[in-house]
Amino acid sequence: MVNESPDVRPRRRLRPTRRGKIVLVVAALLVVSAAVLVPLSLLGSDEKEKRQEPPRATLVIPEGWRASQVYEAVDRALGLKPGSTGRTATTVDLELPEQAEGNPEGYLFPATYPIDSATTPTSLLRYMADTARKRFGADHITAGAQRNNVTVYETATIASIVQAEADTASDMGKVARVIYNRMLKDMPLQMDSTINYALKRSTLDTTTADTRLDSPYNSYVRKGLPPTPIGNPGEEALSAAISPTPGPWLYFVTVAPGDTRFTDSYDEQQRNVEEFNRNRRAATG
């Protein structure tokens, strides 16, 4: 949500498919933005020749998960000690963009990954990053980034904010437009999702104290984009980032599930926020 009130800043409720607990399923019980098959590079030499061992489980990485959530999911899927995959991520070369400075956030592509006894954190992370590079390196993504006067890496960052902020897929293009409009007007983005990322949390409310946080991810006080993506966006968010919906909007708030209000009027935004607060009070009794 974009809001400039000095009081508590509520934000839209996260989509259940984009947030939640780690999901491990046997076989393909859930398909997110793309179904990814295990390449031969994930298999040992014997498996390359025989290829007789079927995947023993499926690891699902939902759209919008942060890198930390991906690491935890890989640890659980492979039966490793907590923190194992996170440590691996600091040592393995994932061929990330130079702007990433070695941080894979945003480049662990959300998908369904079959795993077997030969799968390792290194092989999974490399495949996720390879998949992201192929998606982000497509001609239409490059053209969209140039059209919007941003880099492909910045496009991934915008897509990650869109993924975190949009209440529905149909809202994504408008959320992306708000981001671009505020950047063009040299306004801080004021996105609660970036503060949540800095504080390693997910919440519906951002307080005045939160907005004073000393962090490069505090988009209430720092103009421009955060230094990295704040999660791993899917195809829909990426499409919205390269082709935002035309409009003048500078603010938005989800006043009720499925009812997100976009406006370029600060006064109208405050009325929408008041309606959101009334709805929350009524819901909590």
Side-chain angles (χ1 to χ4, degrees), residues 16 18-24 60 62 65 69 72-73 76:
R18 292 182 167 84
R19 288 279 187 257
K21 299 179 180 179
I22 293 173
V23 183
L24 287 175
V60 176
W65 263 12
Q69 293 173 292
E72 291 173 0
R76 294 190 185 186

Side-chain angles (χ1 to χ4, degrees), residues 26-279:
V26 176
L29 297 180
L30 176 64
V31 178
V32 286
S33 62
V36 179
L37 300 178
V38 174
L40 295 182
S41 61
L42 291 187
L43 303 176
S45 58
D46 291 338
E47 285 76 13
K48 288 181 182 179
E49 296 177 359
K50 299 179 182 179
R51 286 179 284 177
Q52 295 177 347
E53 180 183 355
R56 69 184 182 194
T58 301
L59 171 62
V60 176
I61 305 301
E63 300 157 325
W65 263 12
R66 298 167 184 167
S68 59
Q69 293 173 292
V70 176
Y71 301 155
E72 291 173 0
V74 173
D75 285 345
R76 294 190 185 186
L78 302 183
L80 303 174
K81 292 181 179 180
S84 297
T85 302
R87 287 190 292 273
T88 297
T90 65
T91 61
V92 64
D93 181 10
L94 298 180
E95 300 181 22
L96 300 169
E98 184 176 351
Q99 284 180 279
E101 297 183 353
N103 185 343
E105 192 72 82
Y107 277 72
L108 302 176
F109 197 79
T112 301
Y113 294 89
I115 57 177
D116 61 27
S117 59
T119 305
T120 66
T122 295
S123 64
L124 269 177
L125 293 176
R126 280 180 174 165
Y127 193 42
M128 291 176 189
D130 287 346
T131 304
R133 282 200 311 275
K134 290 176 182 177
R135 294 290 198 277
F136 298 159
D139 290 343
H140 71 288
I141 301 297
T142 301
Q146 292 174 345
R147 185 171 60 248
N148 294 317
N149 199 32
V150 293
T151 67
V152 170
Y153 186 73
E154 288 169 333
T155 299
T157 299
I158 292 168
S160 73
I161 298 173
V162 169
Q163 189 80 65
E165 291 282 348
D167 186 56
T168 65
S170 61
D171 289 336
M172 287 185 171
K174 291 183 177 181
V175 172
R177 177 55 66 189
V178 169
I179 294 172
Y180 285 114
N181 285 348
R182 293 181 76 91
M183 289 173 63
L184 286 172
K185 289 181 176 293
D186 198 31
M187 299 171 65
L189 298 185
Q190 297 189 315
M191 298 286 175
D192 296 349
S193 57
T194 65
I195 291 180
N196 278 338
Y197 183 79
L199 294 174
K200 299 179 181 181
R201 69 181 190 190
S202 295
T203 182
L204 297 177
D205 298 299
T206 299
T207 66
T208 299
D210 292 336
T211 65
R212 299 184 183 127
L213 179 70
D214 182 14
S215 168
Y217 292 91
N218 183 353
S219 62
Y220 274 82
V221 296
R222 295 175 184 256
K223 295 179 181 179
L225 295 172
T228 71
I230 61 169
N232 294 281
E235 295 281 8
E236 290 177 318
L238 189 59
S239 295
I242 62 171
S243 299
T245 306
W249 313 292
L250 295 172
Y251 313 94
F252 65 91
V253 59
T254 299
V255 299
D259 183 8
T260 300
R261 311 276 178 83
F262 293 83
T263 181
D264 60 347
S265 166
Y266 177 75
D267 290 339
E268 183 178 353
Q269 170 71 359
Q270 294 312 298
R271 291 192 294 271
N272 291 336
V273 169
E274 290 173 2
E275 182 175 344
F276 173 88
N277 285 326
R278 289 195 300 271
N279 291 342

